[in-house]
Amino acid sequence: MEHPYGYIKDGKVYLRGFLGRDDREIGEVKEDEASTISYFEARFEQIKDKVAKLKSDIAENQNKGSFLMKLIHLRDSLYQTDALGDFIPLIETLNEQEAFLNEIIQVNRSKNLEVKRTLIVEAEGMRDDTDWKNTAEFFKELKMRWIKTGPVEKEIHEELEQEFNDSIQTFFENRRHFYEGMALQAEENIKVYEALVVQAREAHDFPDAKMAFEISKRIQREWKEAGKVPAEKRQPLWDEFSKLNNRIFSRYKRTLNPGPTMHPREVLRKIETMVDELKKMAHQPTAYAVTTRAKAIQEEWKKLPAHKPKEANLPARSYQFFMDIIFEKAFLEKLAYGKFPGYDTMPIEEQNQIKSGILKDLLHRDQSELDTMQNNSDNFRVQTPDFEMMMRKKLSGLKRKVDVKNYILKQLSPRI
């Protein structure tokens, strides 16, 4: 049976060759030849509809270039489709549409190239900018514009990408180096602040109030000239530094205005009275009233003459010893409350055991520090008497801390 675009032979259905291709078997007769021909003609009509639909989609859509690959796949499939009909007009239609799309794509790629070269110029203009925050946001936005811009010719794609990314990479590398440098400088600046705090501690313990004041003025000027560091690292150092310098100034001011003159015997009696009261308070349980009274006695002590009689040396040491006991016991009580839930409801014996355990840990630390300083004291010996006196004062302070804790520990020990 013959057909304008094919034929049936020996029960097989053939499509006549076109565009230089040979005849091709596309199926076989199932029921009868007429219905078989109708089936393959219907399949061709479906192919025609696909081509017409694609042409319509291209005409109606703005992003026409996106249909190019679909068109190519459809045209390639026409040479293998099992259907009866005139394929040549369909292929010609698709060829025309391909040429149309290629022309549009070429125009778009020229536009894309122009846009991308403009973006490259913008990137190069900002690559060395040092407004790190705003410029980083600028480059993020520029990168999005680059991504949204369509493709260019394959031959220059890599070159353009490299030019654009080089500028972005240069900026972010510069920013990284800047912040790394800032971090390193901050570490150096912290060492300066730490050294100034050490000098403030030494000046605070210096026997000569006037010389301590002169040192304080100098290191405060140096503090103002020191470089930047993160606030969270600088603040603790400043808290200690300012507190030490305030104390130095207060002591110096007292030497300028020593207050009312008191007879040495009156000073001695006043100190002995304070010591007697403090000794009694040191043996009492910790309470708000005890620490409040101890603070009031400290204020009374400040009103005594700076230069006390020689006979007051021993009572003065007792004053400091018992005062330390009172505040150490208060501190110990606070630690116990904080570390052991329900501490205030425990029996006294259990509370004492807890405080003894905490105190032993603190005592071990202080004793180790004292031993270390005693063992190394020879390394700090210099010719100046003031420095030797300062070292002796430090050792004396550490020893008193150890003695205070041992004294409290003995109070807490169960009596047999």
Side-chain angles (χ1 to χ4, degrees), residues 43-72:
R43 282 180 60 83
F44 180 77
E45 291 301 318
Q46 294 174 357
I47 298 300
K48 284 176 64 177
D49 291 342
K50 284 185 178 181
V51 172
K53 176 69 165 54
L54 179 60
K55 183 177 180 180
S56 173
D57 288 343
I58 291 172
E60 294 174 359
N61 281 272
Q62 194 168 9
N63 187 14
K64 302 181 187 301
S66 62
F67 291 97
L68 180 61
M69 293 310 300
K70 185 175 182 181
L71 183 150
I72 292 172

PDB file of all heavy atoms in Angstrom, residues 43-72:
ATOM      1  N   ARG A  43       0.074  10.290  14.704  1.00  0.00           N
ATOM      2  CA  ARG A  43       1.317  10.579  15.436  1.00  0.00           C
ATOM      3  C   ARG A  43       2.023  11.788  14.815  1.00  0.00           C
ATOM      4  O   ARG A  43       2.601  12.610  15.533  1.00  0.00           O
ATOM      5  CB  ARG A  43       2.230   9.352  15.414  1.00  0.00           C
ATOM      6  CG  ARG A  43       1.810   8.270  16.402  1.00  0.00           C
ATOM      7  CD  ARG A  43       2.757   7.083  16.333  1.00  0.00           C
ATOM      8  NE  ARG A  43       4.127   7.455  16.661  1.00  0.00           N
ATOM      9  CZ  ARG A  43       4.609   7.562  17.908  1.00  0.00           C
ATOM     10  NH1 ARG A  43       3.820   7.345  18.937  1.00  0.00           N
ATOM     11  NH2 ARG A  43       5.875   7.894  18.087  1.00  0.00           N
ATOM     12  N   PHE A  44       1.970  11.907  13.488  1.00  0.00           N
ATOM     13  CA  PHE A  44       2.593  13.061  12.837  1.00  0.00           C
ATOM     14  C   PHE A  44       1.890  14.365  13.244  1.00  0.00           C
ATOM     15  O   PHE A  44       2.552  15.389  13.454  1.00  0.00           O
ATOM     16  CB  PHE A  44       2.568  12.889  11.313  1.00  0.00           C
ATOM     17  CG  PHE A  44       3.201  14.036  10.584  1.00  0.00           C
ATOM     18  CD1 PHE A  44       4.595  14.147  10.516  1.00  0.00           C
ATOM     19  CD2 PHE A  44       2.422  15.022   9.978  1.00  0.00           C
ATOM     20  CE1 PHE A  44       5.173  15.212   9.857  1.00  0.00           C
ATOM     21  CE2 PHE A  44       3.012  16.086   9.316  1.00  0.00           C
ATOM     22  CZ  PHE A  44       4.393  16.190   9.258  1.00  0.00           C
ATOM     23  N   GLU A  45       0.557  14.306  13.335  1.00  0.00           N
ATOM     24  CA  GLU A  45      -0.180  15.486  13.748  1.00  0.00           C
ATOM     25  C   GLU A  45       0.242  15.933  15.157  1.00  0.00           C
ATOM     26  O   GLU A  45       0.300  17.140  15.454  1.00  0.00           O
ATOM     27  CB  GLU A  45      -1.693  15.218  13.706  1.00  0.00           C
ATOM     28  CG  GLU A  45      -2.260  15.047  12.314  1.00  0.00           C
ATOM     29  CD  GLU A  45      -2.014  16.277  11.446  1.00  0.00           C
ATOM     30  OE1 GLU A  45      -2.184  17.414  11.961  1.00  0.00           O
ATOM     31  OE2 GLU A  45      -1.644  16.105  10.270  1.00  0.00           O
ATOM     32  N   GLN A  46       0.510  14.957  15.998  1.00  0.00           N
ATOM     33  CA  GLN A  46       0.995  15.300  17.342  1.00  0.00           C
ATOM     34  C   GLN A  46       2.338  16.026  17.281  1.00  0.00           C
ATOM     35  O   GLN A  46       2.593  16.981  18.023  1.00  0.00           O
ATOM     36  CB  GLN A  46       1.122  14.029  18.199  1.00  0.00           C
ATOM     37  CG  GLN A  46      -0.201  13.363  18.510  1.00  0.00           C
ATOM     38  CD  GLN A  46      -0.023  12.037  19.242  1.00  0.00           C
ATOM     39  OE1 GLN A  46       1.108  11.580  19.482  1.00  0.00           O
ATOM     40  NE2 GLN A  46      -1.134  11.392  19.561  1.00  0.00           N
ATOM     41  N   ILE A  47       3.208  15.568  16.379  1.00  0.00           N
ATOM     42  CA  ILE A  47       4.511  16.213  16.200  1.00  0.00           C
ATOM     43  C   ILE A  47       4.323  17.639  15.685  1.00  0.00           C
ATOM     44  O   ILE A  47       4.983  18.576  16.138  1.00  0.00           O
ATOM     45  CB  ILE A  47       5.387  15.402  15.224  1.00  0.00           C
ATOM     46  CG1 ILE A  47       5.655  14.006  15.781  1.00  0.00           C
ATOM     47  CG2 ILE A  47       6.705  16.143  14.973  1.00  0.00           C
ATOM     48  CD1 ILE A  47       6.372  13.994  17.098  1.00  0.00           C
ATOM     49  N   LYS A  48       3.412  17.826  14.739  1.00  0.00           N
ATOM     50  CA  LYS A  48       3.132  19.169  14.227  1.00  0.00           C
ATOM     51  C   LYS A  48       2.673  20.098  15.359  1.00  0.00           C
ATOM     52  O   LYS A  48       3.074  21.272  15.419  1.00  0.00           O
ATOM     53  CB  LYS A  48       2.053  19.116  13.133  1.00  0.00           C
ATOM     54  CG  LYS A  48       2.550  18.606  11.795  1.00  0.00           C
ATOM     55  CD  LYS A  48       1.411  18.492  10.793  1.00  0.00           C
ATOM     56  CE  LYS A  48       0.805  19.847  10.477  1.00  0.00           C
ATOM     57  NZ  LYS A  48      -0.261  19.743   9.437  1.00  0.00           N
ATOM     58  N   ASP A  49       1.812  19.552  16.228  1.00  0.00           N
ATOM     59  CA  ASP A  49       1.319  20.360  17.359  1.00  0.00           C
ATOM     60  C   ASP A  49       2.470  20.780  18.278  1.00  0.00           C
ATOM     61  O   ASP A  49       2.493  21.907  18.793  1.00  0.00           O
ATOM     62  CB  ASP A  49       0.271  19.583  18.150  1.00  0.00           C
ATOM     63  CG  ASP A  49      -1.032  19.398  17.370  1.00  0.00           C
ATOM     64  OD1 ASP A  49      -1.227  20.147  16.390  1.00  0.00           O
ATOM     65  OD2 ASP A  49      -1.829  18.515  17.749  1.00  0.00           O
ATOM     66  N   LYS A  50       3.433  19.874  18.507  1.00  0.00           N
ATOM     67  CA  LYS A  50       4.577  20.197  19.361  1.00  0.00           C
ATOM     68  C   LYS A  50       5.403  21.332  18.763  1.00  0.00           C
ATOM     69  O   LYS A  50       5.838  22.248  19.464  1.00  0.00           O
ATOM     70  CB  LYS A  50       5.472  18.963  19.554  1.00  0.00           C
ATOM     71  CG  LYS A  50       4.913  17.945  20.526  1.00  0.00           C
ATOM     72  CD  LYS A  50       5.940  16.831  20.744  1.00  0.00           C
ATOM     73  CE  LYS A  50       5.422  15.823  21.755  1.00  0.00           C
ATOM     74  NZ  LYS A  50       6.410  14.752  22.012  1.00  0.00           N
ATOM     75  N   VAL A  51       5.634  21.265  17.470  1.00  0.00           N
ATOM     76  CA  VAL A  51       6.409  22.307  16.801  1.00  0.00           C
ATOM     77  C   VAL A  51       5.667  23.641  16.871  1.00  0.00           C
ATOM     78  O   VAL A  51       6.258  24.689  17.151  1.00  0.00           O
ATOM     79  CB  VAL A  51       6.692  21.910  15.336  1.00  0.00           C
ATOM     80  CG1 VAL A  51       7.335  23.072  14.571  1.00  0.00           C
ATOM     81  CG2 VAL A  51       7.587  20.680  15.278  1.00  0.00           C
ATOM     82  N   ALA A  52       4.355  23.603  16.595  1.00  0.00           N
ATOM     83  CA  ALA A  52       3.559  24.839  16.652  1.00  0.00           C
ATOM     84  C   ALA A  52       3.546  25.420  18.066  1.00  0.00           C
ATOM     85  O   ALA A  52       3.626  26.647  18.255  1.00  0.00           O
ATOM     86  CB  ALA A  52       2.134  24.548  16.184  1.00  0.00           C
ATOM     87  N   LYS A  53       3.435  24.519  19.061  1.00  0.00           N
ATOM     88  CA  LYS A  53       3.418  24.977  20.465  1.00  0.00           C
ATOM     89  C   LYS A  53       4.748  25.634  20.837  1.00  0.00           C
ATOM     90  O   LYS A  53       4.787  26.677  21.501  1.00  0.00           O
ATOM     91  CB  LYS A  53       3.162  23.775  21.376  1.00  0.00           C
ATOM     92  CG  LYS A  53       3.209  24.092  22.884  1.00  0.00           C
ATOM     93  CD  LYS A  53       2.038  24.951  23.292  1.00  0.00           C
ATOM     94  CE  LYS A  53       1.862  24.976  24.814  1.00  0.00           C
ATOM     95  NZ  LYS A  53       3.040  25.356  25.563  1.00  0.00           N
ATOM     96  N   LEU A  54       5.850  25.037  20.422  1.00  0.00           N
ATOM     97  CA  LEU A  54       7.168  25.607  20.717  1.00  0.00           C
ATOM     98  C   LEU A  54       7.316  26.973  20.059  1.00  0.00           C
ATOM     99  O   LEU A  54       7.810  27.925  20.673  1.00  0.00           O
ATOM    100  CB  LEU A  54       8.268  24.655  20.257  1.00  0.00           C
ATOM    101  CG  LEU A  54       9.705  25.152  20.480  1.00  0.00           C
ATOM    102  CD1 LEU A  54       9.970  25.408  21.957  1.00  0.00           C
ATOM    103  CD2 LEU A  54      10.701  24.135  19.935  1.00  0.00           C
ATOM    104  N   LYS A  55       6.874  27.090  18.812  1.00  0.00           N
ATOM    105  CA  LYS A  55       6.963  28.375  18.111  1.00  0.00           C
ATOM    106  C   LYS A  55       6.142  29.439  18.841  1.00  0.00           C
ATOM    107  O   LYS A  55       6.573  30.595  18.979  1.00  0.00           O
ATOM    108  CB  LYS A  55       6.478  28.201  16.676  1.00  0.00           C
ATOM    109  CG  LYS A  55       6.604  29.459  15.829  1.00  0.00           C
ATOM    110  CD  LYS A  55       6.168  29.204  14.396  1.00  0.00           C
ATOM    111  CE  LYS A  55       6.292  30.483  13.563  1.00  0.00           C
ATOM    112  NZ  LYS A  55       5.862  30.262  12.150  1.00  0.00           N
ATOM    113  N   SER A  56       4.965  29.034  19.312  1.00  0.00           N
ATOM    114  CA  SER A  56       4.103  29.975  20.046  1.00  0.00           C
ATOM    115  C   SER A  56       4.749  30.397  21.369  1.00  0.00           C
ATOM    116  O   SER A  56       4.714  31.569  21.747  1.00  0.00           O
ATOM    117  CB  SER A  56       2.743  29.319  20.315  1.00  0.00           C
ATOM    118  OG  SER A  56       1.945  30.127  21.146  1.00  0.00           O
ATOM    119  N   ASP A  57       5.351  29.437  22.083  1.00  0.00           N
ATOM    120  CA  ASP A  57       6.005  29.755  23.364  1.00  0.00           C
ATOM    121  C   ASP A  57       7.153  30.740  23.162  1.00  0.00           C
ATOM    122  O   ASP A  57       7.345  31.667  23.964  1.00  0.00           O
ATOM    123  CB  ASP A  57       6.538  28.469  24.015  1.00  0.00           C
ATOM    124  CG  ASP A  57       5.416  27.591  24.549  1.00  0.00           C
ATOM    125  OD1 ASP A  57       4.293  28.099  24.703  1.00  0.00           O
ATOM    126  OD2 ASP A  57       5.670  26.399  24.801  1.00  0.00           O
ATOM    127  N   ILE A  58       7.910  30.530  22.091  1.00  0.00           N
ATOM    128  CA  ILE A  58       9.025  31.432  21.810  1.00  0.00           C
ATOM    129  C   ILE A  58       8.520  32.847  21.555  1.00  0.00           C
ATOM    130  O   ILE A  58       9.092  33.832  22.035  1.00  0.00           O
ATOM    131  CB  ILE A  58       9.836  30.924  20.592  1.00  0.00           C
ATOM    132  CG1 ILE A  58      10.567  29.628  20.958  1.00  0.00           C
ATOM    133  CG2 ILE A  58      10.845  31.977  20.130  1.00  0.00           C
ATOM    134  CD1 ILE A  58      11.238  28.930  19.784  1.00  0.00           C
ATOM    135  N   ALA A  59       7.433  32.946  20.819  1.00  0.00           N
ATOM    136  CA  ALA A  59       6.891  34.270  20.489  1.00  0.00           C
ATOM    137  C   ALA A  59       6.350  34.985  21.719  1.00  0.00           C
ATOM    138  O   ALA A  59       6.447  36.213  21.839  1.00  0.00           O
ATOM    139  CB  ALA A  59       5.785  34.124  19.433  1.00  0.00           C
ATOM    140  N   GLU A  60       5.769  34.223  22.673  1.00  0.00           N
ATOM    141  CA  GLU A  60       5.074  34.838  23.803  1.00  0.00           C
ATOM    142  C   GLU A  60       5.975  35.115  25.001  1.00  0.00           C
ATOM    143  O   GLU A  60       5.636  35.950  25.845  1.00  0.00           O
ATOM    144  CB  GLU A  60       3.920  33.930  24.252  1.00  0.00           C
ATOM    145  CG  GLU A  60       2.825  33.805  23.191  1.00  0.00           C
ATOM    146  CD  GLU A  60       1.763  32.795  23.578  1.00  0.00           C
ATOM    147  OE1 GLU A  60       1.906  32.188  24.681  1.00  0.00           O
ATOM    148  OE2 GLU A  60       0.820  32.582  22.788  1.00  0.00           O
ATOM    149  N   ASN A  61       7.102  34.440  25.116  1.00  0.00           N
ATOM    150  CA  ASN A  61       7.955  34.581  26.302  1.00  0.00           C
ATOM    151  C   ASN A  61       9.056  35.605  26.066  1.00  0.00           C
ATOM    152  O   ASN A  61       9.575  35.741  24.950  1.00  0.00           O
ATOM    153  CB  ASN A  61       8.573  33.238  26.686  1.00  0.00           C
ATOM    154  CG  ASN A  61       7.587  32.360  27.437  1.00  0.00           C
ATOM    155  OD1 ASN A  61       7.484  32.432  28.652  1.00  0.00           O
ATOM    156  ND2 ASN A  61       6.853  31.541  26.703  1.00  0.00           N
ATOM    157  N   GLN A  62       9.397  36.294  27.158  1.00  0.00           N
ATOM    158  CA  GLN A  62      10.433  37.321  27.060  1.00  0.00           C
ATOM    159  C   GLN A  62      11.821  36.699  26.998  1.00  0.00           C
ATOM    160  O   GLN A  62      12.697  37.165  26.275  1.00  0.00           O
ATOM    161  CB  GLN A  62      10.324  38.265  28.270  1.00  0.00           C
ATOM    162  CG  GLN A  62      11.111  39.542  28.113  1.00  0.00           C
ATOM    163  CD  GLN A  62      10.744  40.559  29.178  1.00  0.00           C
ATOM    164  OE1 GLN A  62      10.038  40.246  30.121  1.00  0.00           O
ATOM    165  NE2 GLN A  62      11.230  41.780  29.013  1.00  0.00           N
ATOM    166  N   ASN A  63      12.033  35.650  27.789  1.00  0.00           N
ATOM    167  CA  ASN A  63      13.335  34.989  27.816  1.00  0.00           C
ATOM    168  C   ASN A  63      13.391  33.933  26.718  1.00  0.00           C
ATOM    169  O   ASN A  63      13.338  32.731  26.960  1.00  0.00           O
ATOM    170  CB  ASN A  63      13.563  34.362  29.196  1.00  0.00           C
ATOM    171  CG  ASN A  63      14.965  33.806  29.341  1.00  0.00           C
ATOM    172  OD1 ASN A  63      15.847  34.108  28.528  1.00  0.00           O
ATOM    173  ND2 ASN A  63      15.175  32.988  30.352  1.00  0.00           N
ATOM    174  N   LYS A  64      13.482  34.387  25.501  1.00  0.00           N
ATOM    175  CA  LYS A  64      13.395  33.489  24.352  1.00  0.00           C
ATOM    176  C   LYS A  64      14.582  32.541  24.260  1.00  0.00           C
ATOM    177  O   LYS A  64      14.460  31.395  23.825  1.00  0.00           O
ATOM    178  CB  LYS A  64      13.270  34.305  23.064  1.00  0.00           C
ATOM    179  CG  LYS A  64      12.061  35.245  23.055  1.00  0.00           C
ATOM    180  CD  LYS A  64      11.977  35.996  21.752  1.00  0.00           C
ATOM    181  CE  LYS A  64      10.886  37.064  21.802  1.00  0.00           C
ATOM    182  NZ  LYS A  64       9.553  36.507  22.083  1.00  0.00           N
ATOM    183  N   GLY A  65      15.759  33.019  24.672  1.00  0.00           N
ATOM    184  CA  GLY A  65      16.957  32.195  24.550  1.00  0.00           C
ATOM    185  C   GLY A  65      16.878  30.900  25.336  1.00  0.00           C
ATOM    186  O   GLY A  65      17.587  29.934  25.019  1.00  0.00           O
ATOM    187  N   SER A  66      16.014  30.858  26.362  1.00  0.00           N
ATOM    188  CA  SER A  66      15.920  29.641  27.184  1.00  0.00           C
ATOM    189  C   SER A  66      15.319  28.465  26.423  1.00  0.00           C
ATOM    190  O   SER A  66      15.371  27.324  26.888  1.00  0.00           O
ATOM    191  CB  SER A  66      15.076  29.924  28.432  1.00  0.00           C
ATOM    192  OG  SER A  66      13.749  30.279  28.057  1.00  0.00           O
ATOM    193  N   PHE A  67      14.702  28.718  25.216  1.00  0.00           N
ATOM    194  CA  PHE A  67      14.061  27.649  24.455  1.00  0.00           C
ATOM    195  C   PHE A  67      15.000  26.996  23.438  1.00  0.00           C
ATOM    196  O   PHE A  67      14.604  26.054  22.749  1.00  0.00           O
ATOM    197  CB  PHE A  67      12.832  28.199  23.708  1.00  0.00           C
ATOM    198  CG  PHE A  67      11.704  28.576  24.617  1.00  0.00           C
ATOM    199  CD1 PHE A  67      11.534  29.891  25.016  1.00  0.00           C
ATOM    200  CD2 PHE A  67      10.808  27.635  25.078  1.00  0.00           C
ATOM    201  CE1 PHE A  67      10.500  30.258  25.850  1.00  0.00           C
ATOM    202  CE2 PHE A  67       9.770  27.979  25.918  1.00  0.00           C
ATOM    203  CZ  PHE A  67       9.609  29.307  26.315  1.00  0.00           C
ATOM    204  N   LEU A  68      16.231  27.481  23.355  1.00  0.00           N
ATOM    205  CA  LEU A  68      17.112  26.997  22.297  1.00  0.00           C
ATOM    206  C   LEU A  68      17.385  25.503  22.407  1.00  0.00           C
ATOM    207  O   LEU A  68      17.259  24.757  21.422  1.00  0.00           O
ATOM    208  CB  LEU A  68      18.434  27.774  22.316  1.00  0.00           C
ATOM    209  CG  LEU A  68      19.450  27.350  21.251  1.00  0.00           C
ATOM    210  CD1 LEU A  68      18.876  27.561  19.845  1.00  0.00           C
ATOM    211  CD2 LEU A  68      20.760  28.113  21.411  1.00  0.00           C
ATOM    212  N   MET A  69      17.759  25.030  23.566  1.00  0.00           N
ATOM    213  CA  MET A  69      18.081  23.607  23.709  1.00  0.00           C
ATOM    214  C   MET A  69      16.854  22.731  23.491  1.00  0.00           C
ATOM    215  O   MET A  69      16.952  21.650  22.907  1.00  0.00           O
ATOM    216  CB  MET A  69      18.690  23.347  25.092  1.00  0.00           C
ATOM    217  CG  MET A  69      20.056  23.974  25.301  1.00  0.00           C
ATOM    218  SD  MET A  69      21.226  23.591  23.961  1.00  0.00           S
ATOM    219  CE  MET A  69      21.296  21.792  24.059  1.00  0.00           C
ATOM    220  N   LYS A  70      15.696  23.210  23.952  1.00  0.00           N
ATOM    221  CA  LYS A  70      14.467  22.444  23.725  1.00  0.00           C
ATOM    222  C   LYS A  70      14.196  22.313  22.229  1.00  0.00           C
ATOM    223  O   LYS A  70      13.788  21.245  21.745  1.00  0.00           O
ATOM    224  CB  LYS A  70      13.300  23.148  24.420  1.00  0.00           C
ATOM    225  CG  LYS A  70      11.998  22.376  24.347  1.00  0.00           C
ATOM    226  CD  LYS A  70      10.912  23.081  25.159  1.00  0.00           C
ATOM    227  CE  LYS A  70       9.616  22.271  25.109  1.00  0.00           C
ATOM    228  NZ  LYS A  70       8.531  22.935  25.879  1.00  0.00           N
ATOM    229  N   LEU A  71      14.425  23.402  21.505  1.00  0.00           N
ATOM    230  CA  LEU A  71      14.231  23.373  20.054  1.00  0.00           C
ATOM    231  C   LEU A  71      15.176  22.374  19.393  1.00  0.00           C
ATOM    232  O   LEU A  71      14.753  21.588  18.525  1.00  0.00           O
ATOM    233  CB  LEU A  71      14.458  24.779  19.494  1.00  0.00           C
ATOM    234  CG  LEU A  71      14.246  25.001  17.997  1.00  0.00           C
ATOM    235  CD1 LEU A  71      13.786  26.438  17.734  1.00  0.00           C
ATOM    236  CD2 LEU A  71      15.528  24.739  17.189  1.00  0.00           C
ATOM    237  N   ILE A  72      16.437  22.401  19.773  1.00  0.00           N
ATOM    238  CA  ILE A  72      17.433  21.498  19.173  1.00  0.00           C
ATOM    239  C   ILE A  72      17.069  20.041  19.445  1.00  0.00           C
ATOM    240  O   ILE A  72      17.132  19.183  18.542  1.00  0.00           O
ATOM    241  CB  ILE A  72      18.835  21.834  19.696  1.00  0.00           C
ATOM    242  CG1 ILE A  72      19.272  23.212  19.169  1.00  0.00           C
ATOM    243  CG2 ILE A  72      19.846  20.762  19.295  1.00  0.00           C
ATOM    244  CD1 ILE A  72      20.552  23.734  19.778  1.00  0.00           C
TER     245      ILE A  72
END
